[in-house]
Amino acid sequence: MKVLLFGEYNRAQWNIKQGLKSFGHDAILVSTRDGFKKVDVDIEIRDPYNSYFLKKLRIIIKKFSGIDITAVSIKRQIKSKKHLLSNHDVVQFINEAIFDFERKDQRIIFNWLSDWNKNVFLLSAGLDYPSVNYAFDKKFRYSILTPYFENKGTKKDFSPALSYLTESHIDLHKHIFNTIKGVVSNDLDYHIPLIGYKKYLGMIPHAIDLSQLEYSLPIIENKIVIFHGINTLNYIKKGNDIFDDALKLLAKKLPNKVEILITRDLPYKDYIKSFDKAHILLDQVYAYDQGYNALEAMAKGKVVFTGAEKEWLDYYNIEEDTAAINALPDAEAIAKKLEWLILNPEKIIEISVNARQFVETHHDHIKCAQQYLDKWQVQH
């Protein structure tokens, strides 16, 4: 089978591709390299206007001419690669709106790839109309829009998320859902809003390539090392401000027992090594399930503060605080949970072992790839 995976966040589709290859399928990943993360792709779609000066130039040109030079460039690149992007048995888009430009241009790209290939699927691996609409209607107890409702951050911080509720996006969403054979989600934050959609095929957990992630049992000698990796653009949306407040409380209470490591905007290849010496990793607050970075850290044996809500415990039938720690949007609650771990270091070792086992059981990229093949086959 020939498979085209279009678009990338972290290494979500790259690992699906590796799993498909293990079954002898021909799969290629076409995408930008996910901003500063610089992730691996087979065919790169470049944004030539991503420096500070050229971004300003893009805005000025669009304001006075109505032409978005980024959209023009990316459409030209895709059209020039038609021979590489055609005649696949399956094309899977990672999002309803992969690029940072107007939906009418994204619709053109979606139509090209749909016309050039046989069976079109959508992977709900990031914000899209169903998840943002669900969050906006406050159907989650808390969500990525909670800080928006609490007037944290600026309007600009939330404009990418809220763009999924605009008329132009809703039109694109309807067009995509009319065209695709089916949609798959890869974690509970996207699974829950999709329940009841006619073309929803169910959840396949994030695919993680465990061969690239060596497990090491935590060695606890003097201080407990806590890692907080910040993506500046998502600082408020991921709840990094709450983690920062929790760390201040902890450092005040147990100054001689903790070492805190903070990084900002590291490329993927640096990020994945940067937390090796840590015992505990702070991932994100406003989630019910683990994202990609959390799962990679769990695979390496870290105790991760992330989405591990009741819905997640029920879905996987596991006990609270056994494989991951649920990070509530409450600095005092997080600080208290960190203190509990620091004063009970045997728990760190226990959770570390369980975390690796959990990822091996549910997120192995080869097992996940088989699930994609099963879902796609059903629709042929």
Side-chain angles (χ1 to χ4, degrees):
M1 188 191 290
K2 283 182 71 184
V3 179
L4 169 61
L5 301 167
F6 194 80
E8 183 65 311
Y9 298 143
N10 293 308
R11 290 162 74 80
Q13 298 231 80
W14 180 263
N15 285 347
I16 297 167
K17 176 200 129 151
Q18 299 302 106
L20 292 170
K21 279 175 67 180
S22 73
F23 292 111
H25 297 290
D26 179 10
I28 60 164
L29 172 58
V30 181
S31 182
T32 62
R33 296 183 66 198
D34 199 8
F36 69 82
K37 295 173 190 172
K38 301 288 179 219
V39 295
D40 293 321
V41 298
D42 295 310
I43 298 173
E44 183 180 358
I45 305 295
R46 289 181 60 253
D47 176 1
Y49 306 104
N50 62 1
S51 70
Y52 178 79
F53 171 74
L54 291 174
K55 278 180 183 173
K56 293 289 182 194
L57 179 66
R58 174 192 175 192
I59 292 164
I60 292 164
I61 291 171
K62 188 162 191 306
K63 187 177 178 182
F64 289 103
S65 70
I67 295 167
D68 186 334
I69 52 178
T70 295
V72 170
S73 170
I74 286 176
K75 285 196 291 183
R76 188 179 291 140
Q77 289 175 64
I78 290 168
K79 209 161 191 187
S80 73
K81 293 172 172 60
K82 181 181 176 181
H83 61 296
L84 300 170
L85 307 182
S86 299
N87 302 316
H88 292 83
D89 299 298
V90 166
V91 54
Q92 178 168 273
F93 292 84
I94 201 166
N95 192 265
E96 293 176 352
I98 292 167
F99 300 107
D100 175 27
F101 46 75
E102 286 189 19
R103 291 336 196 234
K104 62 182 172 62
D105 293 308
Q106 306 217 44
R107 182 176 179 138
I108 290 166
I109 293 167
F110 175 82
N111 288 345
W112 285 345
L113 291 164
S114 301
D115 290 344
W116 299 344
N117 296 284
K118 291 176 187 168
N119 296 285
V120 185
F121 292 86
L122 176 66
L123 173 58
S124 180
L127 297 179
D128 51 20
Y129 173 73
S131 62
V132 176
N133 190 47
Y134 198 90
F136 194 78
D137 288 345
K138 298 185 178 178
K139 291 181 180 175
F140 286 118
R141 290 185 294 283
Y142 56 81
S143 74
I144 199 163
L145 289 182
T146 297
Y148 169 75
F149 296 130
E150 293 174 349
N151 295 315
K152 285 185 179 180
T154 65
K155 198 172 179 182
K156 192 180 173 187
D157 288 330
F158 296 96
S159 61
L162 295 174
S163 72
Y164 287 92
L165 301 180
T166 59
E167 196 177 321
S168 62
H169 182 80
I170 293 168
D171 285 346
L172 176 62
H173 159 76
K174 287 176 180 172
H175 174 66
I176 288 170
F177 270 65
N178 283 334
T179 307
I180 58 173
K181 293 285 174 78
V183 55
V184 174
S185 68
N186 64 1
D187 82 25
L188 286 172
D189 295 285
Y190 312 122
H191 163 72
I192 293 166
L194 279 165
I195 293 168
Y197 273 73
K198 194 172 71 172
K199 291 191 176 178
Y200 184 45
L201 305 176
M203 183 169 96
I204 301 173
H206 282 285
I208 303 292
D209 185 351
L210 288 147
S211 69
Q212 304 296 309
L213 300 161
E214 193 178 338
Y215 173 78
S216 55
L217 194 70
I219 297 165
I220 299 167
E221 290 166 337
N222 300 317
K223 294 184 175 183
I224 301 295
V225 181
I226 302 171
F227 177 85
H228 185 201
I230 294 169
N231 173 344
T232 309
L233 271 178
N234 289 332
Y235 182 77
I236 297 291
K237 289 178 280 184
K238 295 284 186 182
N240 296 115
D241 57 322
I242 296 171
F243 282 139
D244 276 342
D245 290 344
L247 290 172
K248 283 172 195 162
L249 292 170
L250 190 72
K252 206 172 177 182
K253 192 160 188 186
L254 301 170
N256 301 318
K257 290 188 180 288
V258 292
E259 179 185 344
I260 296 165
L261 303 176
I262 296 176
T263 65
R264 290 178 189 275
D265 300 336
L266 289 181
Y268 175 80
K269 284 181 169 63
D270 298 327
Y271 174 83
I272 198 64
K273 294 175 194 159
S274 63
F275 58 80
D276 278 349
K277 69 176 279 196
H279 302 102
I280 296 168
L281 181 139
L282 306 181
D283 176 51
Q284 62 178 322
V285 168
Y286 300 111
Y288 279 28
D289 197 344
Q290 295 92 62
Y292 198 86
N293 291 340
L295 289 163
E296 288 201 317
M298 287 165 68
K300 290 177 87 169
K302 310 307 172 188
V303 176
V304 181
F305 280 63
T306 183
E309 268 293 338
K310 183 184 183 302
E311 287 81 355
W312 177 77
L313 299 172
D314 292 345
Y315 187 91
Y316 290 105
N317 193 26
I318 59 173
E319 295 294 316
E320 188 178 2
D321 296 341
T322 55
I325 307 291
N326 190 32
L328 293 166
D330 178 337
E332 285 188 19
I334 291 169
K336 218 171 262 184
K337 194 68 81 168
L338 284 166
E339 184 182 348
W340 169 69
L341 287 166
I342 290 156
L343 299 178
N344 297 278
E346 72 283 356
K347 280 284 168 195
I348 292 174
I349 292 164
E350 187 185 308
I351 295 167
S352 165
V353 172
N354 292 342
R356 174 69 184 203
Q357 191 176 28
F358 174 82
V359 179
E360 286 178 358
T361 303
H362 299 288
H363 294 274
D364 177 76
H365 72 301
I366 294 171
K367 292 179 190 172
C368 293
Q370 182 59 61
Q371 291 179 63
Y372 280 100
L373 291 168
D374 293 344
K375 302 270 189 207
W376 295 337
Q377 200 64 43
V378 165
Q379 301 302 310
H380 282 188

